[in-house]
Amino acid sequence: MLLISRWWDAGVVAAAVLVAALAVATTEPTPWVTVTALAALAVAHVLLGRRAVRAEGTALAYGYAAIVVVCVGVACAGAPIAAMVQMVAYPVIWMVSPTVRVALGWNAAMALAVFVGTGWTGDWTDGLLTALLSCAMSVMVGLWITRMATYGAERDALIAELRATQDSVAALERQAGQDAERERVAREIHDTIAQSLTGLVMVAQRAQREAAQREAGGEAPDAARGAENLAVIAELATEALGEARALVAGYSRGGALTESLARLAEGFERETGVRVTLTDERVDRALSREQEVVLLRCAQESLANVRKHARASHVLVRLTDTPAATALTVTDDGVGLGPDGAVPSSCAPGEGRGLPGMRQRLALAGGTLEIGAGDGVSPREGTRVRVSLPHAVVAPAEAPGVAAPPVEPRAEAVR
């Protein structure tokens, strides 16, 4: 349905008044029939035009169209120049017609009225030419405008459908991202905290069984054994706490690797008494969240090794970058590597799990792991662990919808 504006109302009335004035000025005697018909057309449009357009296809619309046709025909009968009013009469016909077929019928009626009215007082040939030309022009313009309106409506419908599809896809992507994030968090918890808590439960259950066996046999509690179990429980609980803190740091806001490492170093220093120095020498610190998690996990594993085996008093953690990669270096002033710089045999595949897990995680991320002697952090040789991660590579294990392979769940790896 085409909307009708106040400017169109004013245009129809002005056209009727202008044509009436021309008829009076050019016709003798004064064509009162034409003036009356045009006045009736203007009044009918003011009273019924807007409502007829809004109620297209109803009796009101058809009644208004009939009034317009009759008024134009009578005006042309009084003065042939009144045929000029067709310039607003034909658009009105199209406005109140619900379909193209109905509009064509009213166009034919209008052409017949103009032909009869103009030929009644003038030349029938001129009346026929005027009616045919005006009707043909109206049909061509009307069909073109109708086609454009139909195209616009179809385009609006397609745009609305596209937007609905985009909203649906965005909702699915958000849901997929949430599901992937849940899986990733569950995987990280399983690989870290859950393993430490499992060991904690097993030690506690072992202590309970030993206590129950001694009580059943009438033996006194073994204080040394109890103290050993308590020490193991305390150690496992401390590791679980550190892993929980590291996990929270790993899932903090993006771009916060330095802050996360600082919290990890602070906790390590508080729990072990080993001094940790953290430096960030990067120029471009833009890393994806997945890359930050990989580097943070590697730092966690490296510090766990220092705590377990290095007997160090100072650890230097450095973040550096090159045009192609970001490097994390953890250097301690501990006892160093084995003879000839070899990694101790306890780190061989199948025995130690921390370093193999780190290598596996880095392999999935396209990174590398290097282990060697320290680089002068103290007079003692010490050990240096260097992790390099390319800027453009995102770890597949952290990508949505890709299951991560098992990575060392606890921070008790050995070098």
Side-chain angles (χ1 to χ4, degrees), residues 17 79 133 146 284 298 308:
V17 173
L133 290 176
T146 300
D284 181 8
C298 292
K308 289 290 185 181

Side-chain angles (χ1 to χ4, degrees), residues 315-410:
V315 179
L316 175 62
V317 180
R318 295 176 60 199
L319 279 172
T320 58
D321 64 3
T322 65
T326 295
L328 169 71
T329 305
V330 180
T331 307
D332 64 63
D333 62 352
V335 296
L337 300 173
D340 301 325
V343 178
S345 61
S346 58
C347 259
E351 298 184 16
R353 295 179 299 171
L355 290 178
M358 192 189 304
R359 287 192 179 97
Q360 192 174 26
R361 183 185 289 269
L362 285 169
L364 291 170
T368 58
L369 173 65
E370 300 175 6
I371 303 175
D375 51 2
V377 73
S378 76
R380 289 198 289 175
E381 183 181 40
T383 304
R384 177 175 60 86
V385 177
R386 178 182 173 84
V387 172
S388 180
L389 189 64
H391 291 314
V393 177
V394 178
E398 305 295 340
V402 179
V407 179
E408 165 55 25
R410 295 169 53 189

